[in-house]
Amino acid sequence: MSTCTTASRDLDEPLAGTAATARTWLLLEQPGPWGAKALTSSHLDPKLGRALEAAARDTGVRIALIRRPGRHADCGTSAERQVFAAHTTPGNVWLHAATTRAPERLLDLDFTALGEGDPRTFDAALQGRHHTGEPLALVCTNGKRDRCCALLGRPLAAELAASGVAGAWEVTHLGGHRFSPTLLVLPYGYAYGRAEAHAVKEILQDVREGRVVTEGCRGNSAWERPGQAAELAVRRASGEHAAEALSVVRTDGAAPRWDVTVAHTDGRLWRVVVAQGTSLPPRPESCGSALGSPARMDVVAVREMPRAAIPVAC
């Protein structure tokens, strides 16, 4: 059976620079079935879903629903739900957790502050606290968006849970169906494609040690797509694996070409030239869609700069 995933894999489509962008992730547990637009087509009150979408718009916050791997029964009771918020910008990475029986309390959040990396609104509104458990391994399993997410994502999530990965959750949407199984790891916000259980366990072990695995990585959600590709290119060129060592501090230009400045916490700077290319031959970007030529981020050059050569601006 030909799927968008098999086409992407067979054509060796690059993964770097394809992660969903979000400085902050807000995750709400919602059992039961999910529709294609899960916030408004699940057992969550659709009025609440629309209000949350509106509140998060243009704030840097991305909202997703999560559920534990396995059967997705929803008894319709006001059961206690898990809620997470994670900020992924290096230098201010955090993951906080809370529980609630009233998901409408999420509307009490200051989404602008949350997107800027301030966890106090989350803690005040939901009695949240710093998450002290295992890192989160979020696997996209929403077959209503693309069948590959269900066919490939659900077995991966189930295998992780069965093997004792305490932070394994199913999530509604991470983008890039054709890279299924797709995975987001929090708190650091690195996304992965074509994930396999043994590789996910290695990724999570590195996360526990504050490190990043670059193999199979799509990028850090804190950056826009050119920055994602640039940061990964610098990691590979420099051999740097510390999770918060690198930041994208400047992006000049516009499609189809950008000059991206990546900074190390030790003061080193790199200039990375990223060009927007076209993935050929045409392939489906999701199952059932027409053939297309999705954009790709191609790193043209990586050059380390003298430390004072480029003015750094956020």
Side-chain angles (χ1 to χ4, degrees):
M1 178 178 64
S2 178
T3 64
C4 65
T5 300
T6 56
S8 177
R9 187 186 296 269
D10 291 346
L11 293 169
D12 198 24
E13 187 176 353
L15 293 167
T18 66
T21 57
R23 294 189 303 273
T24 301
W25 291 84
L26 180 61
L27 309 170
L28 171 64
E29 184 176 4
Q30 176 57 59
W34 296 335
K37 295 183 178 180
L39 278 180
T40 55
S41 55
S42 68
H43 286 183
L44 184 70
D45 182 348
K47 292 182 179 179
L48 174 58
R50 285 190 290 272
L52 288 171
E53 286 179 335
R57 191 170 296 124
D58 299 325
T59 64
V61 178
R62 187 180 177 107
I63 305 174
L65 303 182
I66 57 173
R67 63 192 179 196
R68 284 297 190 181
R71 294 180 61 84
H72 306 133
D74 181 7
C75 299
T77 60
S78 58
E80 194 168 66
R81 304 163 185 250
Q82 187 72 52
V83 188
F84 296 101
H87 191 66
T88 62
T89 302
N92 186 31
V93 169
W94 48 260
L95 173 60
H96 284 216
T99 58
T100 185
R101 293 180 179 273
E104 61 272 13
R105 293 293 304 276
L106 272 65
L107 292 175
D108 295 334
L109 296 173
D110 181 338
F111 281 84
T112 298
L114 203 60
E116 292 174 349
D118 185 348
R120 289 176 295 180
T121 177
F122 182 84
D123 295 347
L126 298 170
Q127 296 184 321
R129 68 279 184 194
H130 176 70
H131 176 65
T132 58
E134 290 292 295
L136 304 187
L138 305 164
V139 182
C140 183
T141 63
N142 191 353
K144 291 296 177 67
R145 292 196 69 96
D146 192 282
R147 61 179 175 174
C148 285
C149 297
L151 291 173
L152 301 174
R154 287 179 186 168
L156 174 61
E159 184 176 354
L160 292 174
S163 64
V165 176
W169 292 85
E170 298 184 8
V171 67
T172 48
H173 185 47
L174 298 177
H177 316 298
R178 63 192 183 280
F179 304 123
S180 295
T182 57
L183 171 80
L184 177 71
V185 179
L186 295 174
Y188 296 118
Y190 284 87
Y192 293 84
R194 304 178 188 132
E196 297 180 358
H198 67 89
V200 174
K201 292 176 183 178
E202 292 176 7
I203 290 166
L204 292 173
Q205 182 56 44
D206 273 40
V207 168
R208 294 183 192 101
E209 299 170 359
R211 294 165 59 84
V212 175
V213 172
T214 57
E215 185 176 357
C217 191
R218 301 174 62 195
N220 186 334
S221 73
W223 317 126
E224 297 294 331
R225 293 186 62 187
Q228 295 172 13
E231 189 242 23
L232 287 175
V234 170
R235 287 194 178 278
R236 292 176 180 127
S238 65
E240 180 58 75
H241 295 285
E244 294 191 74
L246 299 177
S247 293
V248 175
V249 295
R250 188 182 183 99
T251 301
D252 296 311
R257 192 178 181 91
W258 299 266
D259 285 342
V260 181
T261 304
V262 178
H264 195 287
T265 51
D266 66 10
R268 284 179 290 167
L269 293 170
W270 288 263
R271 178 175 177 265
V272 184
V273 180
V274 180
Q276 180 175 297
T278 301
S279 297
L280 295 173
R283 78 288 310 277
E285 295 192 46
S286 61
C287 289
S289 68
L291 296 182
S293 300
R296 53 186 283 172
M297 296 292 113
D298 294 322
V299 173
V300 177
V302 179
R303 183 160 63 98
E304 187 171 350
M305 305 293 289
R307 297 195 181 195
I310 301 177
V312 175
C314 295

